[in-house]
Amino acid sequence: MKRYRCALVLLTAVFSLLIGTAPVQAHNFSDVSSTEYDAYRDAINYCYDNDIARGVTTTRFNPEQTVNRAMFITFLYRLAGKPQKFANIKFEDVPPDSYYADAVRWGVHENIVKGVTATRFAPGKTLEKQMVVTFLYRFADYTRNYSVALETNWSCADYNDIFDYAKKPMQWAVENGILDAKAKFQEPTKKVPRKDAVRYLARFASQVDGIIKKEDEFWFSSEPSSFACRNRHGISALQYSRLKAVVNTIYEWDAIEAYQKSAPQGMCYGMAVCTILDKLGKIDLNGMFAYNAPKIYNIQQPARMAGAPLVKEKTGGQITAIESIINYYHLSQQAGHSIAPTWFGDASTTIEEGMEHESLAEMIDGQEYGGLGLFSFCVKKNNSTVGPHTVVVYGKGGKLTSLSGYNKQFYKYKVCDNLKTQYVNYVYVSNDYTTCVISLTNGNLLKATAACYFNQFDAFDIIDIDGKNNSDVTASTVSDQTILREKDQEKEREGLEKAATIYVNMSNDFTITNAEGETIVYKDGHLSGTMIGKLVHMINGGPEKSEFVLAVRDSDSFTYESQPKDVGIRYISPYGEIAQTIEAAGANQLEFGKAGIKLDGQDMVYSVREQLTGSAGEYMVVEGSGETQVTIAETTIGPNHNGVEICTNSADATIQVYDSEMEEAVLNESTVPGQTLTLDFTK
């Protein structure tokens, strides 16, 4: 099938678009293979971008070089922000003008390191894993003042090889996701190469530090007033084309186009994604797009960002690069099927206890060792559903705690929230996965009516905004389609089943029933039912346009009923070969899916868009009003010919067929009530 694509024009001069942006030093290290770089690149990028660890030269990282005492205490000193707190040292082997002198003086002051004797530090002594972990443990305890209490009894196959001084630090590192908790052998005496050292540092930053206040968060609100474009989502033409290049259904792209032209409803999702990707080393937001601001906290409000790097907006004007990047990731939520497809395995569950049940269970599991997650939720206020709103959750849930008014035990998660008007500071999740409570800074507690969690951030690699090395804003995304194809093939070999995606308007109560009789029910702000699937996201499109994004096991057909009798559905089959968008007012019932589309109602006003299976990439638009019944079904017309049959009951319908690369219709037809119109679109 011909995919819906836009040719991506690579620009030879990025700084003709990024007006006035200072060039950022690239780090295409020649001694890191492409395969190995994929395994360590985010950690290398994080440490490089934050001036914690760079190359041994401008072209070499030396990933296999073993770290020594001088090198690692210097890494920690830089991670701490180079504080001017020093001890008086008398180490004969630490020259005052050496690159590590200040770091050693600081490390001794913080009780992280000591000399091997009163006069020798042994800066060149190589470090074993247990020593590196001990330095990190002391850094967390003495410098960051974090709790380093241990949670459970722990052991590993080579536990007896761990020195006594390192037993607690090694367990702490496992419990906090710095070391692999599933590893049978922890290899405490193994020498640590630079590539592993930066990985431990990056894991500490995301798993233990999480979001550091006034460093890793935006200081401006996600409200529309923070942005220059108030009547649309401002984005550069280049980034808009890059996003278009990875979207493989016209319906997701239609949604992106419509969303881009709409007034912002709050940029919480885009800002949360940028916060996480920058912290993980996947993008260098402040370095690449904000004149090398020290931290993303130092990035100014785009609407008032004087002297900031500018980009040419797709409408012809100019906006700040930061505004464009935030909108780039904010718009991407409309293309979840293309960017982050969902697979089902043996662990698939029904949504009997509420679709958020699965997401809350995933959140507790996903935050077991700390780290970062995207969390979207709705709440009830004054009998109305408010949201969805997206925040960053980070850290571990800690010990179970109780909440007033709830006969349950809860895990408590820290939150980074850009919505300053009602700042969320904690999210509580019950240990039975059934209840989620949002804590505001004003002390109010609000029960979430729907919630979803996501932490698979490698999915965003396909729309990476500044290339693998965080240094190329013109890097093409088109070739990365091979990433998704390879993942598809790998999952198929594992015998897993790919999910269909349903986007459904959340302004009405509704019931969706599949051909097997399983249901999804949305009533009074809650999702429940018996269908195998989960709530993967919620899109804030305003009071009438917000949507649930559901990943469900595919079926021959789905039936949708709602109160009031309005329809807003997008369906995409597992591999995108079938894509349907149906909007209708006055519809009693809708059938959609592989078996075709059928609308029943009274005096319906409707619009149907369908990607035509087996065509050369065409899609069809069927529109009409005053209708009681419409049926649309694909059919076979003779050998190797595919077509579609359309029948209306009481009024004419207009049909237009568009080539995927064209904006003008290549075919215009209309129906006669009571008669079936057959179109042959095989080329």
Side-chain angles (χ1 to χ4, degrees), residues 166-378:
K167 282 184 166 63
K168 286 185 177 180
M170 287 289 288
Q171 180 176 348
W172 167 85
V174 168
E175 290 184 357
N176 285 276
I178 297 170
L179 299 180
D180 184 2
K182 297 179 181 179
K184 182 178 179 181
F185 293 90
Q186 289 295 341
E187 302 178 297
T189 60
K190 178 184 177 182
K191 300 294 185 181
V192 176
R194 280 168 56 87
K195 65 183 183 182
D196 284 339
V198 295
R199 189 160 57 165
Y200 299 152
L201 289 162
R203 286 177 179 171
F204 179 92
S206 62
Q207 300 293 122
V208 182
D209 274 341
I211 301 300
I212 299 177
K213 299 297 184 182
K214 297 187 178 181
E215 287 191 20
D216 300 323
E217 59 181 350
F218 289 104
W219 73 269
F220 56 88
S221 170
S222 62
E223 292 289 345
S225 59
S226 293
F227 298 87
C229 293
R230 307 291 177 82
N231 62 349
R232 64 190 182 283
H233 293 80
I235 184 172
S236 77
L238 173 64
Q239 289 152 11
Y240 201 59
S241 294
R242 292 180 62 185
L243 191 57
K244 190 172 186 177
V246 300
V247 177
N248 57 19
T249 73
I250 60 169
Y251 301 102
E252 287 185 310
W253 184 249
D254 283 349
I256 288 174
E257 284 194 314
Y259 199 54
Q260 189 274 326
K261 294 173 184 176
S262 67
Q265 298 296 324
M267 305 302 297
C268 54
Y269 180 84
M271 293 177 72
V273 170
C274 286
T275 298
I276 290 174
L277 297 185
D278 184 85
K279 184 69 178 188
L280 294 177
K282 290 185 173 296
I283 64 175
D284 183 12
L285 191 69
N286 48 303
M288 283 296 293
F289 305 104
Y291 281 140
N292 292 305
K295 301 287 184 180
I296 69 171
Y297 180 77
N298 302 108
I299 296 174
Q300 299 175 26
Q301 187 177 4
R304 300 176 179 85
M305 208 169 172
L310 303 175
V311 295
K312 293 180 179 178
E313 207 227 347
K314 66 182 290 289
T315 59
Q318 289 185 336
I319 56 173
T320 63
I322 289 296
E323 181 161 344
S324 182
I325 301 304
I326 292 172
N327 276 308
Y328 176 83
Y329 284 110
H330 194 68
L331 292 172
S332 74
Q333 65 183 311
Q334 294 281 356
H337 184 91
S338 296
I339 295 169
T342 301
W343 290 81
F344 290 127
D346 294 336
S348 296
T349 60
T350 67
I351 53 176
E352 193 168 8
E353 296 180 69
M355 280 198 98
E356 63 270 21
H357 179 278
E358 180 74 6
S359 282
L360 296 180
E362 286 184 354
M363 180 170 168
I364 291 175
D365 290 343
Q367 298 297 128
E368 180 179 2
Y369 303 109
L372 310 173
L374 272 177
F375 187 71
S376 300
F377 63 89
C378 294

Side-chain angles (χ1 to χ4, degrees), residues 337-576:
H337 184 91
S338 296
I339 295 169
T342 301
W343 290 81
F344 290 127
D346 294 336
S348 296
T349 60
T350 67
I351 53 176
E352 193 168 8
E353 296 180 69
M355 280 198 98
E356 63 270 21
H357 179 278
E358 180 74 6
S359 282
L360 296 180
E362 286 184 354
M363 180 170 168
I364 291 175
D365 290 343
Q367 298 297 128
E368 180 179 2
Y369 303 109
L372 310 173
L374 272 177
F375 187 71
S376 300
F377 63 89
C378 294
V379 295
K380 277 279 190 182
K381 289 182 69 177
N382 301 322
N383 295 320
S384 297
T385 298
V386 178
H389 180 48
T390 301
V391 299
V392 181
V393 292
Y394 62 96
K396 298 191 289 186
K399 295 181 179 179
L400 288 169
T401 186
S402 58
L403 281 178
S404 176
Y406 295 91
N407 188 25
K408 296 175 182 288
Q409 293 289 296
F410 291 85
Y411 294 103
K412 177 182 178 181
Y413 299 96
K414 298 176 184 176
V415 168
C416 170
D417 182 15
N418 295 108
L419 186 61
K420 300 293 185 182
T421 54
Q422 286 191 326
Y423 196 70
V424 178
N425 57 355
Y426 296 107
V427 170
Y428 292 88
V429 178
S430 64
N431 63 342
D432 63 357
Y433 319 133
T434 61
T435 305
C436 176
V437 178
I438 310 301
S439 170
L440 305 183
T441 52
N442 62 11
N444 288 345
L445 296 176
L446 301 175
K447 184 178 179 181
T449 57
C452 55
Y453 168 83
F454 181 82
N455 70 344
Q456 302 300 311
F457 298 110
D458 285 347
F460 287 95
D461 288 351
I462 197 172
I463 55 170
D464 188 359
I465 199 65
D466 55 10
K468 288 188 175 183
N469 303 316
N470 292 358
S471 58
D472 183 4
V473 296
T474 61
S476 172
T477 56
V478 175
S479 62
D480 288 339
Q481 282 292 326
T482 58
I483 296 174
L484 288 184
R485 286 196 290 270
E486 289 170 359
K487 287 182 178 179
D488 283 349
Q489 293 168 358
E490 179 182 347
K491 297 293 187 180
E492 287 170 344
R493 287 193 293 269
E494 295 174 7
L496 300 183
E497 180 183 352
K498 198 170 183 180
T501 306
I502 299 176
Y503 297 76
V504 54
N505 189 292
M506 57 191 295
S507 60
N508 302 330
D509 289 348
F510 61 79
T511 299
I512 298 175
T513 308
N514 64 14
E516 292 72 31
E518 300 163 340
T519 60
I520 299 171
V521 179
Y522 178 56
K523 187 174 183 179
D524 297 330
H526 289 277
L527 283 162
S528 61
T530 58
M531 198 179 297
I532 292 178
K534 64 179 181 179
L535 173 64
V536 294
H537 186 45
M538 293 181 285
I539 300 172
N540 188 341
E544 302 298 326
K545 294 291 185 179
S546 293
E547 293 179 299
F548 290 120
V549 185
L550 310 173
V552 300
R553 179 166 288 173
D554 202 16
S555 179
D556 286 339
S557 66
F558 297 89
T559 300
Y560 171 94
E561 297 174 283
S562 70
Q563 291 293 334
K565 301 180 183 300
D566 294 326
V567 171
I569 285 281
R570 284 187 283 157
Y571 162 81
I572 302 173
S573 61
Y575 291 92

Side-chain angles (χ1 to χ4, degrees), residues 68-98:
N68 56 39
R69 283 164 57 86
M71 192 182 300
F72 197 74
I73 195 62
T74 301
F75 292 164
L76 286 179
Y77 178 55
R78 293 169 181 168
L79 179 62
K82 300 181 182 179
Q84 299 301 297
K85 299 178 180 179
F86 302 118
N88 292 320
I89 60 173
K90 298 179 180 180
F91 299 134
E92 297 172 353
D93 53 358
V94 180
D97 59 351
S98 62

Side-chain angles (χ1 to χ4, degrees), residues 572-584:
I572 302 173
S573 61
Y575 291 92
E577 70 279 10
I578 300 174
Q580 301 165 340
T581 297
I582 306 104
E583 294 181 342

